[in-house]
Amino acid sequence: MKQILLFLLLTASSWVFAETSTQDKLNRLEAELNDVRQEQQAVYQNYQMTRDLRRLEVQEGSPPTSQYPYGKSIYGTDINTPPPNYDDVVRTQMEREQRIQHYTNELKGLSARYLELEDRRRALLELIKKLKQQQGS
């Protein structure tokens, strides 16, 4: 009789221990899922900001020669306004193109990171679903 009681006690304790272990694992996975979601949101917000910066840079499209940098006059509207320095114009255009390329590269990287996080999120959701099914059984 003592052996049967001992056996039942050991079986029940192992079942409770397994249940606690599963619940702990489930809690860890849900915490990790929450972290992934937060990082995904931050990446998306960074993507939006970078996209807007790039869009503004592209829309600025008017060449810097249209405005004289030292005064309110626009080149060509006043005979006394000297033309801008060619080297300054070329340098400004190159800097603008470099910023656009930098934003484009950053957008590609953010997009790739977001997709990585999405894959991780889906995998975590699948694991959580399986654990909940095991726990319910």
Side-chain angles (χ1 to χ4, degrees):
M1 181 75 164
K2 287 183 180 182
Q3 292 176 343
I4 294 175
L5 274 171
L6 182 61
F7 176 75
L8 289 174
L9 182 61
L10 287 174
T11 306
S13 65
S14 66
W15 179 74
V16 168
F17 180 73
E19 187 70 26
T20 304
S21 175
T22 303
Q23 187 60 43
D24 289 343
K25 189 172 183 179
L26 191 59
N27 289 341
R28 283 192 311 258
L29 288 174
E30 287 175 345
E32 187 177 346
L33 178 63
N34 189 34
D35 291 344
V36 167
R37 284 180 175 159
Q38 287 176 353
E39 185 178 351
Q40 209 173 12
Q41 184 179 8
V43 167
Y44 182 69
Q45 288 172 346
N46 197 355
Y47 180 91
Q48 286 179 317
M49 286 187 332
T50 305
R51 184 192 61 202
D52 290 342
L53 287 171
R54 184 185 182 284
R55 185 181 309 136
L56 286 173
E57 201 67 52
V58 169
Q59 285 176 353
E60 190 176 273
S62 61
T65 58
S66 65
Q67 281 191 328
Y68 186 68
Y70 305 111
K72 296 180 182 176
S73 303
I74 296 177
Y75 174 69
T77 60
D78 186 0
I79 197 160
N80 295 326
T81 306
N85 182 319
Y86 175 79
D87 292 333
D88 290 342
V89 170
V90 169
R91 181 182 38 78
T92 303
Q93 286 175 338
M94 291 296 292
E95 288 171 353
R96 183 176 158 268
E97 289 173 11
Q98 287 175 351
R99 283 191 303 272
I100 290 172
Q101 187 60 44
H102 172 75
Y103 291 145
T104 301
N105 293 339
E106 195 171 329
L107 287 172
K108 287 177 184 177
L110 289 168
S111 180
R113 180 64 182 145
Y114 185 87
L115 293 175
E116 289 172 8
L117 290 169
E118 181 64 19
D119 290 343
R120 181 68 183 143
R121 186 187 68 82
R122 287 182 183 159
L124 286 169
L125 284 172
E126 189 63 33
L127 283 172
I128 289 170
K129 180 181 174 184
K130 286 179 183 177
L131 279 176
K132 285 185 177 181
Q133 286 174 350
Q134 287 176 358
Q135 202 175 29
S137 299

